[in-house]
């Protein structure tokens, strides 16, 4: 079954007979970068002089407790990913915004509780060191190197 390669596959090897599909001229939807996917007020940045030089927001209503998000879909941007463009669409843009919010939440809670240490004082790795966070929102176990074995 064909799979899409991501940055997580950088260490995979290519074998004889593997199938690659390369899109030399993918359809681009650069308008997706003209919007603030986390903003509801229509302004992402205000200049010091009060000039509204920001990007328009797309969120109409959001309720995290109930679990819904209503957006005003911008024109000329597809709702779902296409075979030749995974990132410039509504689903990916909203997902990226939610992932960035979640990442900030995790980092701020970790820094306030002091859990950002890379290893404990006895030299053993913490559970957090064994997990990488990827933009897709998945948690992926890191591969351990042979030189990182715990001391007995």
């Amino acid at each position: 079954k064909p799979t899409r390669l991501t940055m997580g596959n950088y260490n995979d090897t290519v074998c004889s007979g593997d199938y690659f599909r390369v899109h030399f001229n993918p359809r681009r939807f650069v308008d997706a970068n003209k919007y603030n996917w986390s903003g509801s007020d229509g302004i992402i940045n205000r200049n010091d002089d009060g000039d509204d030089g920001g990007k328009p927001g797309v969120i109409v209503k959001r309720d995290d407790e109930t679990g819904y998000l209503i957006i005003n879909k911008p024109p000329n941007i597809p709702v779902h990913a296409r075979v030749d463009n995974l990132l410039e669409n509504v689903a990916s843009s909203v997902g990226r915004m939610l992932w960035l919010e979640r990442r900030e939440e995790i980092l701020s809670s970790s820094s306030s509780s002091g859990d950002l240490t890379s290893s404990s004082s006895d030299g053993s790795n913490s559970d957090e060191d064994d997990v990488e966070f990827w933009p897709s929102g998945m948690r992926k176990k890191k591969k351990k190197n042979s030189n990182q074995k715990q001391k007995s």
Side-chain angles (χ1 to χ4, degrees):
K1 178 182 172 190
T3 59
R4 185 178 302 270
L5 297 178
T6 64
M7 290 301 295
N9 302 104
Y10 72 93
N11 208 13
D12 291 354
T13 57
V14 178
C15 300
S16 176
D18 283 351
Y19 173 77
F20 284 97
R21 179 187 290 172
V22 179
H23 298 277
F24 291 105
N25 296 313
R27 288 193 61 187
R28 297 293 312 271
F29 301 96
V30 294
D31 288 349
N33 300 318
K34 294 181 180 178
Y35 294 91
N36 175 11
W37 294 93
S38 61
S40 59
D41 62 351
I43 302 299
I44 188 170
N45 292 323
R46 286 191 183 266
N47 298 341
D48 292 334
D49 59 358
D51 182 23
D52 294 343
K55 300 176 182 180
V58 297
I59 296 177
V60 174
K61 178 95 170 120
R62 178 177 180 173
D63 187 351
D64 291 335
E65 188 175 313
T66 307
Y68 70 86
L69 176 72
I70 300 173
I71 66 167
N72 181 10
K73 181 194 163 300
N76 302 324
I77 301 173
V79 173
H80 54 80
R82 300 176 53 91
V83 70
D84 58 347
N85 192 331
L86 180 68
L87 300 176
E88 295 170 338
N89 60 70
V90 174
S92 291
S93 299
V94 171
R96 198 168 31 253
M97 176 265 305
L98 293 172
W99 178 79
L100 288 171
E101 285 181 359
R102 179 69 180 136
R103 183 174 157 252
E104 278 297 315
E105 187 178 299
I106 290 170
L107 290 175
S108 66
S109 67
S110 294
S111 64
S112 64
S113 65
D115 289 342
L116 290 179
T117 57
S118 61
S119 62
S120 60
S121 59
D122 63 355
S124 62
N125 291 337
S126 66
D127 290 338
E128 203 166 295
D129 291 337
D130 296 336
V131 176
E132 295 176 345
F133 289 95
W134 294 91
S136 63
M138 297 182 343
R139 292 171 58 117
K140 181 177 178 180
K141 284 276 192 186
K142 287 184 183 178
K143 294 178 184 175
K144 293 213 185 253
N145 293 339
S146 59
N147 61 356
Q148 290 182 338
K149 292 181 181 176
Q150 292 184 3
K151 298 175 186 177
S152 35

